[in-house]
Amino acid sequence: MTDRALVVVRAGALTTVQDRGRPGYAHLGVPRSGALDGPATRLVNRLVGNPLEAAVLETTVNGCAVRPRSSVTVAVGGAPCPVTVDGRPVAWGAPVRVPSGALLDVGTVVSGVRSYVAVSGGIAVDPVLGSRSTDLLSGLGPARLADGMVLPLGTPDGIHARVDVAPQPAPPTELVLRVTLGPRDDWFTPEAVRTFTSGTYRVSSASNRIGLRTEGPALERALPGELPSEGMVLGAVQVPPEGGPVVFLADHPTTGGYPVIGVVCAQDLAAAAQAAPGTPARFVRTRSRLRPERGAGNRATSRNGPAPAHRP
């Protein structure tokens, strides 16, 4: 039994192991996955001296509690929350030394949704397809944390940042998502496209790692029926028949049959990961426009014929 490990005392509502994800396998139906708030993940890794690709813990709303079997340096970032070691308050957003056997408790968020916990050496679960990320859609990677689970740690190979505190952006009070229209905005009426880029939505409580769901004005279709399934990218805004835009996040499916009215700028997705239910959301149109692949056409079928539409 190694002493380079964490024992999970309180798993929290949804805590998973995440890193940069497993890009390059979409053609096999494997999502990228990875941490939803990339900047927060990179920062906490830097604070404890880890490489930027080291795996961390991603918590959801009410945090988690773990007990290291050896002395470690940790940093908590992302959504602000109280952090204690054996009941004593310690710094959030800064490196903290946790003695062997002490209880590190990451509490309920003050604002935002997801907090990130980096531990010196990184979470060293076995990688799958080059990544240690938990993928909730495909089931790849380690299981979500459960009470009593033991997580192995790697060997530290760096020096943690010598800072008192690291500034981090606050979770959004209004979510503004820059969006490039297309490739299927022509499946919607001109009025619907105007509504999409000028109306106000709210983040739905049904949002998860697969997609950020919104509540607000429904977008009316100009064309009936459904598309054959086609490739989906991170940030794609898919519109199901009920008309509410869904922004695809890290665990999104690689294909889908509902039309994509636009794609959100990648730099805005970290804020989407921290937008709590009820947060106002706006889609702001950029000047460019995505177009369907040449020869695809609105009525085209795939090489293997139409596939069933995906409901995220």
Side-chain angles (χ1 to χ4, degrees):
M1 182 175 65
T2 177
D3 63 353
R4 291 293 304 166
L6 295 177
V7 178
V8 179
V9 177
R10 180 177 63 84
L14 175 62
T15 303
T16 58
V17 177
Q18 299 294 339
D19 56 18
R20 286 181 165 181
R22 47 184 67 87
Y25 296 98
H27 64 295
L28 300 177
V30 177
R32 176 174 182 143
S33 193
L36 293 190
D37 189 339
T41 303
R42 293 189 291 272
L43 178 57
V44 293
N45 268 327
R46 288 180 58 196
L47 288 173
V48 300
N50 285 344
L52 298 185
E53 64 272 13
V56 303
L57 299 180
E58 178 184 274
T59 74
T60 307
V61 180
N62 69 344
C64 68
V66 294
R67 195 183 302 275
R69 288 177 172 171
S70 61
S71 182
V72 296
T73 300
V74 304
V76 181
C81 62
V83 184
T84 63
V85 174
D86 280 344
R88 176 176 59 86
V90 296
W92 172 91
V96 173
R97 197 69 176 166
V98 181
S100 174
L103 182 67
L104 170 70
D105 193 290
V106 179
T108 299
V109 299
V110 176
S111 59
V113 179
R114 296 172 174 91
S115 298
Y116 292 84
V117 185
V119 184
S120 51
I123 309 298
V125 295
D126 292 335
V128 178
L129 296 178
S131 171
R132 295 181 167 90
S133 290
T134 301
D135 183 343
L136 298 179
L137 181 65
S138 71
L140 292 175
R144 58 190 288 180
L145 264 62
D147 294 355
M149 182 182 288
V150 177
L151 299 172
L153 297 176
T155 302
D157 58 2
I159 300 174
H160 68 77
R162 302 293 181 179
V163 298
D164 294 324
V165 67
Q168 300 184 52
T173 55
E174 180 186 38
L175 182 61
V176 179
L177 300 173
R178 293 168 292 173
V179 63
T180 301
L181 288 183
R184 302 298 181 184
D185 55 310
D186 57 349
W187 272 61
F188 299 89
T189 65
E191 292 78 11
V193 174
R194 283 193 291 271
T195 297
F196 173 61
T197 56
S198 63
T200 298
Y201 291 83
R202 289 191 177 275
V203 175
S204 168
S205 59
S207 301
N208 53 30
R209 282 186 48 87
I210 296 171
L212 179 115
R213 293 181 176 271
T214 63
E215 300 169 345
L219 303 180
E220 183 182 359
R221 299 257 187 103
L223 297 176
E226 298 297 342
L227 283 160
S229 285
E230 54 188 2
M232 292 291 141
V233 299
L234 184 67
V237 184
Q238 199 181 57
V239 183
E242 59 268 24
V246 179
V247 181
F248 275 176
L249 301 179
D251 286 357
H252 72 85
T254 57
T255 62
Y258 298 145
V260 171
I261 193 171
V263 177
V264 170
C265 177
Q267 290 88 339
D268 295 345
L269 294 176
Q274 298 294 1
T279 300
R282 292 190 293 117
F283 296 93
V284 177
R285 178 178 180 176
T286 61
R287 292 183 179 181
S288 57
R289 180 185 182 280
L290 296 173
R291 298 188 180 277
E293 186 176 336
R294 181 175 295 178
N298 286 335
R299 304 292 185 177
T301 58
S302 68
R303 182 176 301 175
N304 296 318
H310 176 82
R311 290 168 172 78

